[in-house]
């Protein structure tokens, strides 16, 4: 990729945060990953730049301000509403996935415990052209097959 940029990843699971950072370092060491452990921290980071993220990866199931609530706030903010938000969750519930799309998520990336699949899926989202991507029911969820 060779473009230096920052991504935010918000998840209350410290192991997931570390694992994600390791994978991104393997993919491209020009990407800085800044993590938050809850929705309040993410909103604070967004409202107090620098840095300004290129992408946000967001877990759904967090105490306090959960991922759906954070997504609503990001999409209602005039300064962040165009920012690509990738939902990165263990949930594969179709209603939940559709709800995130309706609320304005850019993409849905189901978590997996298989390292190679996870690396490939994260790499896929990092290489996407977000400026021209329009989520639909057919292209919204990453398919591991």
């Amino acid at each position: 990729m060779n473009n230096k940029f920052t991504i935010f990843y918000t998840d209350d699971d410290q192991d997931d945060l570390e694992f994600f950072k390791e994978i991104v370092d393997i993919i491209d060491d020009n990407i800085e990953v800044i993590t938050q452990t809850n929705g309040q921290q993410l909103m604070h980071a967004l409202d107090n730049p620098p840095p300004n993220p290129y992408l946000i990866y967001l877990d759904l199931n967090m105490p306090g301000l959960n991922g759906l609530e954070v997504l609503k706030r990001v999409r209602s903010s005039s300064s962040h509403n165009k920012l690509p938000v990738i939902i990165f969750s263990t949930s594969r519930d179709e209603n939940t996935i559709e709800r995130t799309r309706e609320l304005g998520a850019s993409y849905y990336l189901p978590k997996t415990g298989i390292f190679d699949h996870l690396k490939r899926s994260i790499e896929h989202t990092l290489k996407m052209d977000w400026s021209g991507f329009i989520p639909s029911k057919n292209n919204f969820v990453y398919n591991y097959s």
Side-chain angles (χ1 to χ4, degrees):
M1 278 166 233
N2 298 334
N3 296 346
K4 196 138 183 89
F5 61 89
T6 300
I7 57 176
F8 286 178
Y9 176 33
T10 306
D11 196 321
D12 62 321
D13 186 317
Q14 195 62 44
D15 290 338
D16 283 358
L17 292 171
E18 291 302 319
F19 199 48
F20 183 89
K21 286 170 79 171
E22 288 175 28
I23 287 173
V24 171
D25 281 344
I26 291 168
I27 293 169
D28 188 334
D29 60 3
N30 287 313
I31 301 171
E32 180 181 17
V33 177
I34 296 179
T35 61
Q36 301 85 26
T37 57
N38 61 56
Q40 292 89 344
Q41 287 178 355
L42 172 60
M43 294 311 300
H44 179 78
L46 287 172
D47 292 336
N48 295 281
N52 289 302
Y54 169 74
L55 289 173
I56 296 173
Y57 290 80
L58 180 62
D59 184 37
L60 290 178
N61 301 313
M62 297 181 290
L65 198 58
N66 70 36
L68 292 174
E69 294 164 327
V70 171
L71 181 58
K72 287 180 199 174
R73 289 189 185 187
V74 169
R75 288 299 177 241
S76 67
S77 163
S78 60
S79 50
H80 312 305
N81 62 358
K82 302 288 187 216
L83 196 57
V85 177
I86 299 165
I87 303 300
F88 191 43
S89 177
T90 56
S91 175
R92 294 178 189 259
D93 175 68
E94 289 184 21
N95 291 329
T96 301
I97 292 170
E98 181 59 21
R99 181 84 176 119
T100 63
R101 192 175 70 79
E102 290 169 354
L103 289 173
S106 305
Y107 200 69
Y108 197 95
L109 187 59
K111 289 181 182 176
T112 177
I114 302 170
F115 180 85
D116 287 340
H117 289 177
L118 189 60
K119 179 180 175 286
R120 231 182 357 254
S121 68
I122 293 170
E123 194 166 21
H124 172 77
T125 58
L126 291 172
K127 289 182 175 179
M128 287 177 73
D129 176 8
W130 293 106
S131 64
F133 184 78
I134 300 170
S136 71
K137 285 188 178 195
N138 298 329
N139 67 3
F140 183 64
V141 180
Y142 183 82
N143 187 346
Y144 282 100
S145 58

